[in-house]
Amino acid sequence: MAAMMRGLSRSLFSSGHPKPYYHLPLIKPSSLLSSRGIASKLFVGGLSYYTNEEALAEAFSHYGQVIEAKIVMNKEYNRSKGFGFVTFASEEEAEKALAEMNGKVLNGRAIFVDNAKPNFGYAPPPPIARGPPESSGKE
C-alpha cells in the first residue's frame, strides 16, 4: 500500500502541477479490508421484519468476531427490507458462519446466507427525458 501511495504521489506531481483530486483512484475502506483478507462480508436474506441489527450480530457472533451487522431499511416506511449484511474479522469465520447459518431459522424465518458481492459504487442510470425540452420563458 505504501509503495502504491509513493508511486501515486510521484505521478501526481511529476509534471510540476498537481492533478485535480478527481483523478485519484476511489478506494473504499471496506474494499481494502476485503481485498487484504482482513474482513469478509456476508449477505443475509429472508430476515424477519422484526430482526434488528443487534439480534443479527448476536446470532452470527457465535461463529467469530462480528465487525458490523447492517440491515437494509426501506426509507419510506422505516422498516427492514428483509435483508442485510454481516462483516466478520476474518474469511475463516465468515466461511464457518455461512456453512452453519444458511437455512437456519432466525426470529421465525428461515434465512439464507451467501458471500456478499462487491459494490463498486453502482448508481442507477438517470431518468430518460421524454418529449420536447421545456422552454425557460426567456424567449
Side-chain angles (χ1 to χ4, degrees):
M1 181 71 172
M4 182 178 86
M5 293 307 290
R6 281 193 299 272
L8 182 63
S9 64
R10 272 190 230 120
S11 67
L12 282 176
F13 301 103
S14 61
S15 65
H17 299 288
K19 294 180 182 175
Y21 69 90
Y22 52 82
H23 287 294
L24 295 175
L26 179 63
I27 301 173
K28 294 182 180 179
S30 59
S31 65
L32 281 176
L33 289 172
S34 297
S35 67
R36 290 183 179 176
I38 296 172
S40 189
K41 188 180 272 192
L42 298 176
F43 170 82
V44 183
L47 292 173
S48 165
Y49 294 127
Y50 303 107
T51 302
N52 59 25
E53 291 175 350
E54 293 80 22
L56 185 63
E58 171 64 29
F60 279 83
S61 67
H62 299 289
Y63 305 101
Q65 181 185 359
V66 174
I67 294 174
E68 179 185 40
K70 180 75 177 156
I71 293 179
V72 178
M73 301 294 285
N74 180 324
K75 292 177 184 170
E76 185 176 344
Y77 298 110
N78 196 29
R79 76 174 200 181
S80 167
K81 286 188 173 183
F83 67 93
F85 298 93
V86 177
T87 306
F88 281 91
S90 74
E91 288 185 36
E92 295 80 24
E93 294 169 344
E95 288 174 11
K96 184 177 175 184
L98 186 139
E100 295 290 326
M101 290 296 289
N102 193 25
K104 295 280 178 148
V105 175
L106 180 63
N107 288 346
R109 302 237 357 223
I111 61 171
F112 58 94
V113 182
D114 197 3
N115 289 310
K117 296 181 177 40
N119 180 3
F120 294 111
Y122 171 77
I128 298 172
R130 303 203 191 287
E134 294 182 21
S135 63
S136 61
K138 296 181 181 179
E139 296 176 19

